Amino acid sequence: MGVQRQIARAASLLHALAVVCALCWALSARFVQGQSQTGQLTVDASLQNARKIPDKMFGIFFEEINHAGAGGLWAELVSNRGFEAGGPNTPSNIDPWLIIGDESSIIVGTDRTSCFAHNPIALRMEVLCDSKRTNACPSGGVGVYNPGYWGMNIEKGKVYKVSMHIRSSDAVSLTVSLTSSDGRQKLAAHTITGSKKSFAKWTKIEFSLKSRQNNTNSRLQFTTSKSGVIWLDQVSVMPLDTYMGHGFRKDLSLMLANLKPQFLKFPGGNYAMGNHLRNAFRWSETVGPWEERPGHFNDAWGYWTDDGLGFFEFLQLAEDLGASPVWVVNDGASLNEEVSTATIASLVKDVVDGIEFARGGPKTPWGSVRAAMGHPEPFKLDYVSIGNQECWMLYYRGNYQKFYSAIKAAYPEVNIISSCDRSTISPSNPADLYDVRVYTSSSNMFSRTSMFDNTPRSAPKAIVSEYAVTGNDAGKGTLVAALAEAAFLIGLERNSDVVEMASCAPLFVNDNDRRWSPDAIVFNSWQHYGCPNYWMLHFFKDSSGAALHPTTIQISDYDQLVASAITLQNATDRSPYLRIKVIAIVQFPCFNNQKSSKYEIKEKQEWARTLAIEILLQVVNFGNRAVDLNISVVGLANGIKMSGSKQTVLTSSNPLDENSFEQPEKVAPVSSPLANAKPQMGLSLRPYSLTSFDLLLEASKHASI
């Protein structure tokens, strides 16, 4: 996330203004109740005037914020599995691990006796009680437990792989259990036994636990009634049922897959930088066996990560989603420090090594590390973003040129993204793409549908890598925020000759650790839901690579409509469609948009060869007036079938409505058949709505796009 997010975050905390804003919404709706508008939307569906949207136009941006990865997308259930979160000095804090028993029966601490050089901390349990002595252990024994990330979701019949390292010079009888949060309900258990010699040296143990019950607030516990000293380290519990078998939480991964993202930008913005360089994301320390990864403190967002979700896993996730990876590299800058250009060479080499890890052959030094992790084939890493909007910092431009030259020398086909704006790009300061961030109010976001209208049409193109509505009416994810973002994306579609890629931010939030609002997907250990802006993205998931058609809207005294039209082919049955998107939002006293009597969208005619496969028309009504819209589709090479078309609407009774665990689809798309679809037709748009009209076409005689 960019530095400007921290500024925007302060504005979002002004709850009192949000209340006033909500009142304005209500007064505005009452003021125009019963009013409606009549407008004309014309779509030029001719092939010669269509233009292809870039193949990777819409993707996703993942940042380790809000426990999005640790305790979220990455399915590891144990928090602080290596006991490193408390720091290198021992004894240290073992949070969130807790002790079963009191100091008369067990003493628990940490020491530096681990068998892993990069993670030297291990847990030491000295059991004082015994089952056969005067100092008898309490019923059930003593030990330690880990509640995971606000409770582990354990499901009946599911299998969980437990992996751990153990050492002891005493005989061992240690029970490993999945239990309820109070330890009373036993879901699954396995007992580790051994003589004095069995675990005299560090030993890795792996086994599976199959749960007998459901419990959404479970814990992992180790208990014994045998005196002695036991050391534990690198304790992991992973569900066997993960997305594509690669360790990603299945339900959350499917939420991403359903968006059909064309790229995945990772590992974050501020997370990649760190508040201090010692806590920046270091790719080379996040690859290889997970037990050997040291982990690091995510000081940008205030929590520890074991780095199970590392560089390799991000590349794997991109591949699993069918998305192109976009790697944000640390360019020698944190929020509080900066490496000078004179001493940047080692960091430049580190990034080039990282590209070799992703792209190199299995016999190259770093490609062999990737191959040893089970992926001998190279990943298709074609995009590298240099830094996180540090263009304003003293050494950024000098450092950027070092990175650019070294990467292009080794991998000339890799596209390099600059953190500087377009005005700084020149032959002496080249870039393939430049990064743009937009965090603003809903009214301003809506107005930015024309943000790139006057951008020079020469290279380089922009990647809008982070955008979001923030502030008073954003809440935890409101309808009006989603509609404003939809209008902005329609503007990006229209200007996709100068905008190559776009992704929203943030993507995920664990409801137990909100560091930022709003977010696209909300979850806890066992539930999830999409916010209105998540559902809004479904209206754009077919746009990448589609043919964009010119549209024009004419409506008197109402500038709150935007629309787009694309043609594509249905992925399921290959049927041709025209999709029309329409967004409608009103102007009212709380906000300061400029009005005009007519709103027009006109396309530059560039692309002469495209196929009208499926015409999809989408309209945003950003206002509280219903609109009777007369739609005219001209230039069709194929007719519209009388049946098979549909309309999909995203709206709600209040523009500030949000989704929740109790009402996960309060604001969600609703589809219905569109009867008697034809080139000229009259349709109604609800206030505060995003509407998509999917018009089924006769089969095309042309070749595919």
Side-chain angles (χ1 to χ4, degrees):
M1 311 246 159
V3 175
Q4 66 211 77
R5 275 198 175 188
Q6 298 181 357
I7 300 172
R9 186 179 186 184
S12 69
L13 298 177
L14 299 177
H15 176 69
L17 289 179
V19 174
V20 174
C21 185
L23 178 61
C24 288
W25 283 110
L27 291 175
S28 174
R30 183 177 180 181
F31 178 74
V32 296
Q33 185 175 4
Q35 294 186 14
S36 63
Q37 295 284 130
T38 300
Q40 174 70 41
L41 171 62
T42 303
V43 179
D44 179 357
S46 63
L47 300 181
Q48 62 268 27
N49 289 332
R51 173 165 52 80
K52 185 178 180 181
I53 296 173
D55 289 332
K56 304 185 189 307
M57 183 69 190
F58 294 113
I60 52 178
F61 167 56
F62 180 95
E63 173 149 21
E64 182 58 273
I65 180 179
N66 305 319
H67 273 89
L73 183 63
W74 187 241
E76 173 63 62
L77 297 179
V78 178
S79 177
N80 189 19
R81 68 186 183 191
F83 308 101
E84 304 290 332
N89 299 320
T90 60
S92 57
N93 189 349
I94 61 172
D95 184 69
W97 292 85
L98 291 168
I99 300 171
I100 302 171
D102 58 31
E103 61 270 17
S104 67
S105 56
I106 185 172
I107 298 175
V108 178
T110 57
D111 60 24
R112 298 175 61 84
T113 61
S114 174
C115 58
F116 299 105
H118 292 295
N119 341 314
I121 310 301
L123 185 78
R124 182 182 186 273
M125 295 194 307
E126 183 178 0
V127 180
L128 306 176
C129 62
D130 199 290
S131 60
K132 299 179 180 178
R133 297 181 181 177
T134 305
N135 185 20
C137 292
S139 175
V142 297
V144 294
Y145 72 87
N146 187 292
Y149 299 90
W150 300 281
M152 299 179 181
N153 180 36
I154 303 299
E155 299 180 73
K156 182 179 179 179
K158 293 292 182 69
V159 178
Y160 300 85
K161 179 182 177 181
V162 180
S163 178
M164 55 182 287
H165 289 72
I166 185 172
R167 180 170 73 88
S168 180
S169 57
D170 300 298
V172 170
S173 178
L174 183 69
T175 299
V176 184
S177 309
L178 293 171
T179 76
S180 57
S181 60
D182 59 7
R184 295 180 180 179
Q185 181 189 29
K186 297 293 190 293
L187 308 175
H190 174 84
T191 299
I192 301 168
T193 59
S195 65
K196 286 187 176 183
K197 295 182 179 180
S198 299
F199 305 114
K201 295 182 179 180
W202 280 107
T203 304
K204 183 175 183 178
I205 297 177
E206 293 182 311
F207 54 89
S208 295
L209 294 175
K210 185 175 182 179
S211 178
R212 297 184 291 269
Q213 300 292 333
N214 289 317
N215 194 302
T216 60
N217 188 21
S218 307
R219 73 189 197 188
L220 171 73
Q221 67 178 35
F222 296 85
T223 53
T224 183
S225 295
K226 184 178 286 292
S227 63
V229 179
I230 300 175
W231 284 266
L232 300 175
D233 199 11
Q234 297 301 327
V235 178
S236 169
V237 178
M238 287 283 283
L240 288 188
D241 186 19
T242 61
Y243 185 67
M244 306 287 281
H246 291 141
F248 305 105
R249 183 169 149 178
K250 200 168 186 178
D251 59 337
L252 299 184
S253 299
L254 288 171
M255 293 280 282
L256 300 183
N258 288 338
L259 292 176
K260 300 181 183 179
Q262 298 304 303
F263 68 87
L264 169 64
K265 184 169 178 266
F266 68 89
N270 288 356
Y271 177 68
M273 297 174 68
N275 286 342
H276 300 278
L277 283 172
R278 64 179 176 270
N279 293 319
F281 180 85
R282 304 290 186 185
W283 76 266
S284 59
E285 295 183 353
T286 72
V287 299
W290 60 265
E291 301 99 326
E292 299 177 12
R293 304 181 189 183
H296 75 286
F297 181 61
N298 176 5
D299 64 354
W301 303 110
Y303 56 89
W304 176 263
T305 171
D306 290 309
D307 286 330
L309 180 55
F311 188 47
F312 176 89
E313 287 74 23
F314 281 118
L315 293 168
Q316 184 65 68
L317 178 61
E319 183 177 273
D320 290 347
L321 293 172
S324 293
V326 180
W327 180 26
V328 182
V329 305
N330 184 282
D331 58 353
S334 70
L335 294 178
N336 294 290
E337 303 159 280
E338 190 178 11
V339 176
S340 71
T341 304
T343 58
I344 198 67
S346 62
L347 279 83
V348 172
K349 182 181 183 303
D350 183 66
V351 168
V352 175
D353 287 345
I355 300 174
E356 180 183 275
F357 175 88
R359 295 176 56 107
K363 294 185 179 180
T364 60
W366 281 107
S368 65
V369 176
R370 182 199 67 243
M373 296 180 70
H375 202 288
E377 301 83 9
F379 289 107
K380 192 169 176 54
L381 175 62
D382 293 331
Y383 297 88
V384 174
S385 182
I386 309 300
N388 175 52
Q389 274 202 322
E390 296 96 55
C391 189
W392 58 273
M393 297 183 78
L394 178 62
Y395 295 110
Y396 178 81
R397 297 192 190 188
N399 290 350
Y400 170 84
Q401 291 182 0
K402 296 286 188 181
F403 282 99
Y404 184 94
S405 297
I407 294 171
K408 286 294 187 181
Y411 302 97
E413 65 277 20
V414 169
N415 294 285
I416 298 179
I417 303 168
S418 171
S419 287
C420 293
D421 64 31
R422 191 181 188 282
S423 66
T424 68
I425 309 302
S426 67
S428 61
N429 185 42
D432 297 299
L433 297 165
Y434 66 97
D435 197 4
V436 175
R437 317 282 176 88
V438 180
Y439 292 98
T440 187
S441 67
S442 63
S443 59
N444 189 266
M445 184 70 81
F446 181 82
S447 71
R448 293 196 183 208
T449 187
S450 59
M451 178 176 174
F452 290 92
D453 284 3
N454 297 318
T455 299
R457 269 32 206 175
S458 57
K461 297 175 73 173
I463 169 174
V464 183
S465 69
E466 300 180 30
Y467 69 84
V469 168
T470 59
N472 303 328
D473 54 353
K476 293 182 179 179
T478 60
L479 170 64
V480 72
L483 297 179
E485 291 176 9
F488 177 66
L489 295 188
I490 283 180
L492 298 189
E493 282 184 336
R494 192 175 71 252
N495 287 285
S496 57
D497 56 330
V498 293
V499 179
E500 184 76 8
M501 308 158 92
S503 54
C504 71
L507 188 59
F508 283 115
V509 59
N510 188 313
D511 195 50
N512 296 286
D513 187 39
R514 282 186 179 268
R515 307 292 172 122
W516 182 273
S517 284
D519 309 89
I521 300 170
V522 183
F523 66 91
N524 56 26
S525 67
W526 62 287
Q527 297 170 292
H528 67 270
Y529 65 86
C531 291
N533 65 333
Y534 169 79
W535 293 112
M536 176 274 294
L537 291 173
H538 282 254
F539 288 76
F540 293 86
K541 65 183 182 182
D542 296 312
S543 291
S544 299
L548 179 71
H549 296 279
T551 60
T552 302
I553 292 179
Q554 292 177 304
I555 186 169
S556 299
D557 299 320
Y558 192 72
D559 62 354
Q560 305 298 296
L561 287 182
V562 294
S564 74
I566 60 174
T567 55
L568 55 94
Q569 195 172 59
N570 184 286
T572 303
D573 58 13
R574 312 298 293 173
S575 299
Y577 279 88
L578 168 66
R579 173 173 293 167
I580 303 173
K581 294 191 290 282
V582 187
I583 307 174
I585 305 185
V586 78
Q587 179 69 23
F588 46 83
C590 284
F591 298 93
N592 190 27
N593 285 343
Q594 183 179 359
K595 290 188 176 182
S596 61
S597 60
K598 180 177 178 181
Y599 187 91
E600 292 185 315
I601 301 175
K602 293 184 178 179
E603 279 296 336
K604 182 179 179 182
Q605 314 304 314
E606 292 183 354
W607 192 34
R609 291 180 58 84
T610 186
L611 171 66
I613 302 295
E614 176 182 11
I615 298 192
L616 302 98
L617 177 59
Q618 305 197 92
V619 186
V620 180
N621 183 356
F622 197 66
N624 56 9
R625 300 180 186 179
V627 176
D628 295 323
L629 191 65
N630 296 313
I631 298 175
S632 177
V633 181
V634 299
L636 274 175
N638 310 87
I640 299 174
K641 290 187 175 182
M642 290 297 294
S643 62
S645 296
K646 67 176 181 179
Q647 66 177 357
T648 304
V649 182
L650 180 69
T651 190
S652 192
S653 59
N654 189 313
L656 297 180
D657 277 348
E658 302 177 353
N659 292 334
S660 64
F661 289 124
E662 294 73 26
Q663 293 181 288
E665 295 187 2
K666 182 177 183 178
V667 185
V670 176
S671 295
S672 60
L674 183 61
N676 299 318
K678 51 190 176 182
Q680 282 75 40
M681 55 186 173
L683 298 168
S684 295
L685 304 178
R686 292 182 60 181
Y688 306 113
S689 65
L690 166 57
T691 305
S692 170
F693 302 105
D694 292 6
L695 308 181
L696 179 62
L697 305 179
E698 302 288 348
S700 174
K701 300 178 182 179
H702 298 274
S704 180
I705 296 173

